[in-house]
């Protein structure tokens, strides 16, 4: 009888990394009306009236406020759309993005 040597088969699993997240940041300015900022936050970021007001007040008091955290593509799209909505009305409203630590 022949002794057969068998080697165990090993499967390599590829580990996929989660995409890096990016923060959408509202930058305060002295010209955009508060009501307009709240409307943009409600419309683009699907916030309630209370959530949008709190974010707007935080940005007003501190100069900037993190609005939400998304994947890079979503964050950049939302920031661009919100900024463009302000520019369309003639306001210097600005939303930026940066990587989350």
């Amino acid at each position: 009888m022949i002794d057969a040597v068998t080697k165990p088969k090993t499967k390599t699993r590829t580990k996929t990394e989660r995409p890096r997240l990016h923060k959408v940041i509202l930058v305060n300015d002295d010209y955009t009306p508060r009501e307009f900022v709240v409307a943009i936050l409600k419309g683009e970021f699907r916030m309630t009236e209370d959530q949008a007001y709190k974010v707007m007040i935080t940005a007003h008091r501190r100069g900037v406020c993190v609005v939400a955290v998304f994947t890079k593509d979503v964050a950049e799209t939302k920031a661009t759309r919100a900024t463009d909505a302000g520019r369309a009305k003639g306001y210097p409203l600005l939303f930026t993005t940066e990587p989350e630590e």
Side-chain angles (χ1 to χ4, degrees):
M1 191 168 182
I2 301 174
D3 289 330
V5 178
T6 58
K7 292 184 181 179
K9 292 183 180 178
T10 57
K11 291 184 180 180
T12 57
R13 290 186 181 176
T14 56
K15 192 171 186 178
T16 56
E17 281 189 28
R18 297 186 115 198
R20 288 194 63 194
L21 297 176
H22 283 64
K23 300 182 277 192
V24 178
I25 300 169
L26 168 61
V27 180
N28 185 54
D29 65 74
D30 294 331
Y31 302 102
T32 307
R34 292 179 176 191
E35 297 80 20
F36 183 76
V37 175
V38 169
I40 293 295
L41 292 170
K42 286 171 56 179
E44 187 62 42
F45 298 96
R46 308 240 187 256
M47 292 184 175
T48 65
E49 183 84 25
D50 289 340
Q51 291 170 327
Y53 184 80
K54 288 176 184 176
V55 168
M56 180 273 302
I57 285 296
T58 302
H60 179 70
R61 291 183 178 152
R62 296 188 178 178
V64 294
C65 181
V66 175
V67 176
V69 178
F70 300 104
T71 59
K72 183 178 181 181
D73 292 342
V74 174
E76 288 177 350
T77 300
K78 287 189 174 284
T80 301
R81 288 176 54 178
T83 299
D84 290 347
R87 299 285 157 83
K89 294 286 187 177
Y91 300 124
L93 182 63
L94 179 61
F95 288 83
T96 63
T97 63
E98 68 179 41
E100 187 175 50
E101 289 86 33

